[in-house]
């Protein structure tokens, strides 16, 4: 007779909650939520789950937000095994808290994990971690116009060693940062600098993964963009095809109403882009995901075949592009009304002001 000594694989973890001994008072929290800006205010707690090659995922907990003790030889500090996600929690008019298509973030997180030779976090643990976090810090989800609690799940290699190989110990965290309207004073078209000196990603590289190194590589070109008076930077691949901005995908609207977005193995597949394109398809627009060359972009704008260009991502949702500037040229971009109307439809769904016909919302506080 064979004895199976392994316990059944759990689809839920049992979290330990260790409350913050000194949480902010309701008054302090209310003051912070009044005008939180972006990414500088943090809630009182964080999720922390360990992984080791021997024990798998273990020691799940919600504990006080605070510094993470780490050995100076921790692998992440040397070889950058780190991945993250970015998503938002929305408070609806009835007080309930939802997030948006979190299973897409969970799957993307695992695509990133595989590319960085890190352990995958089962999708149900990812979703549970968000709910456990909100169960403790749900009061930090603001209720003002365009306000959200930005959620940042991330994982990195904590094993202390200096050999170049995948680590055997990792920690997964979720932290939350209340954030206000991304654009104070309304959405305005941005200017984009075309980086031809620097690439963000290479064929076969890590461009499709949400890993810190991609963002580190985009900072110098972003500085170049600022020095050129531009708000953001857009990257090309080695064949001269348009990829994406430093932290947003790009979409072109054609004269006949078709929406075209770059197809590439080295860009991040945005949840926002996928959702906006679905909403546009629902309205009858044709969607094309295919390579778009810089030449096609510039010629299309010059001939009037391209009637709108916009960038999209979780943080800013949708940003019209008003200018493309590069070495020796500056092309004014046509702006229309589609980008902003899709933005409104999407945010209406996210905040519960419009019916969620696709089942995209996921309740976090129940
Ligand atoms: C490089 C990059 N591209 C695209 C996006 C858009 O992805 P999402 O819509 O899932 O936020 C992001 C993140 O916001 C990003 O960092």
């Amino acid at each position: 007779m064979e004895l199976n000594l392994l316990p059944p694989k759990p689809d839920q973890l049992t979290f330990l909650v260790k409350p913050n001994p000194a949480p902010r008072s309701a008054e302090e929290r209310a003051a912070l939520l009044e005008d939180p800006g972006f990414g500088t205010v943090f809630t009182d707690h964080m999720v922390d789950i360990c992984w080791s090659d021997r024990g798998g995922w273990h020691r799940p907990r919600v504990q006080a937000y605070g510094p993470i003790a780490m050995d100076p030889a921790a692998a992440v500090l040397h070889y950058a095994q780190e991945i993250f996600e970015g998503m938002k929690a929305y408070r609806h008019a009835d007080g309930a808290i939802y997030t948006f298509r979190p299973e897409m973030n969970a799957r993307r997180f695992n695509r990133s994990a595989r590319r960085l030779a890190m352990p995958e976090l089962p999708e149900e643990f990812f979703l549970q971690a968000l709910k456990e976090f909100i169960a403790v810090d749900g009061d930090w989800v603001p209720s003002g116009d365009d306000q959200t609690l930005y959620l940042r799940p991330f994982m990195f290699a904590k094993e202390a060693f200096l050999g170049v190989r995948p680590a055997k110990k990792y920690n997964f965290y979720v932290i939350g940062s209340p954030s206000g309207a991304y654009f104070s004073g309304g959405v305005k078209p941005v200017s984009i600098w075309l980086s031809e000196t620097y690439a963000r990603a290479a064929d076969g590289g890590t461009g499709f993964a949400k890993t810190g190194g991609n963002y580190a590589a985009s900072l110098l070109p972003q500085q170049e963009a600022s020095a050129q008076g531009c708000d953001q930077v857009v990257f090309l691949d080695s064949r001269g095809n348009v990829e994406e901005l430093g932290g947003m995908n790009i979409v072109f609207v054609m004269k006949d109403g078709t929406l075209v977005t770059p197809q590439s193995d080295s860009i991040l597949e945005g949840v926002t882009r996928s959702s906006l394109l679905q909403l546009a398809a629902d309205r009858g627009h044709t969607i094309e995901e295919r390579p778009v060359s810089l030449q096609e972009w510039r010629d299309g704008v010059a001939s009037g075949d391209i009637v709108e260009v916009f960038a999209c991502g979780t943080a800013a949702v949708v940003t019209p592009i008003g200018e493309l500037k590069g070495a020796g040229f500056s092309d004014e971009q046509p702006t229309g009304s589609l980008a902003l109307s899709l933005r409104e439809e999407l945010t209406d769904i996210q905040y519960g002001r419009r019916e969620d016909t696709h089942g995209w919302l996921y309740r976090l506080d129940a």
Side-chain angles (χ1 to χ4, degrees):
M1 193 179 80
E2 264 186 26
L3 269 182
N4 185 358
L5 295 176
L6 289 175
K9 197 177 164 206
D11 63 359
Q12 293 284 281
L13 297 166
T14 305
F15 275 71
L16 175 72
V17 178
K18 290 184 73 185
N20 186 331
R24 262 72 57 90
S25 67
E27 293 71 35
E28 284 172 302
R29 189 172 58 233
L32 287 168
L33 293 185
E34 230 162 69
D35 186 15
F38 183 81
T40 54
V41 175
F42 297 95
T43 70
D44 288 319
H45 295 86
M46 62 186 187
V47 165
D48 179 1
I49 314 177
C50 299
W51 184 91
S52 69
D53 60 335
R54 292 186 172 193
W57 292 105
H58 62 280
R59 217 202 60 141
R61 57 183 63 201
V62 183
Q63 64 190 39
Y65 180 95
I68 296 170
M70 232 184 326
D71 193 287
V76 65
L77 300 177
H78 305 272
Y79 311 120
Q81 267 191 299
E82 185 271 352
I83 59 172
F84 64 98
E85 270 303 323
M87 45 212 299
K88 286 174 167 175
Y90 307 85
R91 189 177 294 281
H92 286 193
D94 63 0
I97 301 170
Y98 290 84
T99 191
F100 186 74
R101 308 186 77 181
E103 66 292 338
M104 287 192 82
N105 297 90
R107 283 178 215 143
R108 188 169 69 187
F109 193 70
N110 283 336
R111 285 200 297 280
S112 302
R114 284 194 291 276
R115 181 61 185 86
L116 275 286
M118 298 167 81
E120 291 181 40
L121 181 72
E123 199 174 311
E124 56 275 17
F125 292 178
F126 185 96
L127 300 178
Q128 191 193 356
L130 300 175
K131 292 182 89 165
E132 300 278 352
F133 178 65
I134 289 298
V136 177
D137 269 349
D139 286 345
W140 284 89
V141 181
S143 54
D145 281 353
D146 287 333
Q147 289 190 327
T148 58
L149 181 66
Y150 183 80
L151 298 169
R152 170 52 61 87
F154 62 106
M155 168 167 53
F156 62 82
K158 239 191 205 175
E159 188 191 357
F161 75 106
L162 292 180
V164 182
R165 59 153 171 78
K168 294 179 180 170
K169 285 184 183 159
Y170 299 84
N171 279 62
F172 169 82
Y173 298 89
V174 180
I175 56 173
S177 177
S179 63
Y182 198 82
F183 300 103
S184 48
V187 183
K188 294 188 199 76
V190 293
S191 55
I192 305 286
W193 172 250
L194 174 71
S195 177
E196 290 186 279
T197 320
Y198 304 107
R200 173 185 174 276
D203 286 351
T206 58
F208 67 86
K210 210 160 165 65
T211 182
N214 291 340
Y215 297 81
S218 73
L219 297 179
L220 184 59
Q222 178 62 45
Q223 276 183 340
E224 191 181 80
S226 305
Q228 296 290 339
C230 292
D231 303 301
Q232 296 278 332
V233 61
V234 64
F235 294 98
L236 302 179
D237 70 11
S238 57
R239 292 168 290 279
N241 289 328
V242 180
E243 294 231 293
E244 60 179 331
L245 276 57
M248 283 189 265
N249 293 122
I250 191 164
V251 178
F252 302 90
V253 184
M254 314 305 281
K255 196 167 55 183
D256 69 357
T258 300
L259 273 69
V260 181
T261 193
Q263 194 282 321
S264 160
D265 292 337
S266 49
I267 63 176
L268 193 80
E269 283 184 35
V271 177
T272 316
R273 178 177 77 153
S274 150
S275 310
L276 292 167
L277 294 180
Q278 181 63 57
L279 295 179
D282 294 349
R283 294 184 190 186
H285 290 267
T286 302
I287 307 301
E288 287 178 12
E289 204 171 322
R290 60 169 173 80
V292 180
S293 68
L294 175 65
Q295 199 62 46
E296 179 183 354
W297 181 358
R298 295 197 61 198
D299 289 350
V301 167
S303 69
D305 281 343
I306 293 178
V307 294
E308 233 178 302
V309 188
F310 64 88
C312 54
T314 295
V317 192
V318 169
T319 314
I321 294 177
E323 183 191 11
L324 172 68
K325 202 172 157 188
F329 75 90
S330 166
D331 295 348
E332 197 182 318
Q333 302 296 302
T335 49
S337 58
L338 184 64
L340 291 185
S341 104
L342 288 173
R343 179 184 213 279
E344 187 176 304
E345 185 174 348
L346 182 63
T347 51
D348 278 354
I349 295 169
Q350 290 168 329
Y351 284 93
R353 296 185 292 251
R354 192 186 285 244
E355 197 191 344
D356 171 27
T357 55
H358 291 283
W360 284 339
L361 295 180
Y362 180 86
R363 182 121 190 225
L364 286 175
D365 62 336

